Amino acid sequence: MTYIQNIINTNVSQHLNNLGIYLIYYYIIINIYGFIMTGLDKRKARRRQFRTKELSFFVISFLGGALGVVMGMTVFRHKTQKSKFYIGIPSIFLLNLAVSFLIYRYLI
């Protein structure tokens, strides 16, 4: 039984060692997605097509993509007139920073 426990412990410790890398990949991907989503919504707005729901921007932001959404808002000049966006999304970004710091500090 100790052989199996050693294998399990080794695999778990290897994954925990790579947790930081996985989180960096996750944040890069989710922020690229938020940036692209903002650009596509701006494009749809200009063409008067069906738009992305505002809730989707906040969900992506809470999941870690607030920086991408803020960058998209700035680059595409989109959703910058609505106070819930120009105040809310940067606030969520600060929350993302705090959570990232806590994860790095206590889990990695």
Side-chain angles (χ1 to χ4, degrees), residues 79-91:
K79 302 277 189 194
T80 57
Q81 299 297 315
K82 295 187 174 192
S83 62
K84 64 181 173 182
F85 278 91
Y86 72 79
I87 293 172
I89 302 294
S91 300

Side-chain angles (χ1 to χ4, degrees), residues 6 8 18 28-31 33 39 60 63 65 73 76-77 89 92 96 102 107:
N6 286 338
I8 291 171
N18 294 329
I28 289 170
I29 291 168
I30 196 81
N31 281 294
Y33 180 76
I60 291 300
L63 293 176
M73 288 171 54
F76 302 115
R77 287 182 269 154
I89 302 294
I92 295 171
N96 286 342
L102 291 174
L107 291 180

Side-chain angles (χ1 to χ4, degrees), residues 27-92:
Y27 278 116
I28 289 170
I29 291 168
I30 196 81
N31 281 294
I32 289 172
Y33 180 76
F35 182 81
I36 291 171
M37 186 174 76
T38 307
L40 290 176
D41 191 52
K42 177 67 175 191
R43 183 178 185 196
K44 289 177 184 179
R46 287 184 178 161
R47 294 180 177 190
R48 302 196 187 283
Q49 294 177 339
F50 183 73
R51 305 277 304 279
T52 305
K53 294 180 182 180
E54 291 182 352
L55 180 63
S56 299
F57 289 103
F58 286 101
V59 169
I60 291 300
S61 296
F62 271 114
L63 293 176
L67 178 61
V69 174
V70 168
M71 290 172 60
M73 288 171 54
T74 305
V75 169
F76 302 115
R77 287 182 269 154
H78 188 53
K79 302 277 189 194
T80 57
Q81 299 297 315
K82 295 187 174 192
S83 62
K84 64 181 173 182
F85 278 91
Y86 72 79
I87 293 172
I89 302 294
S91 300
I92 295 171

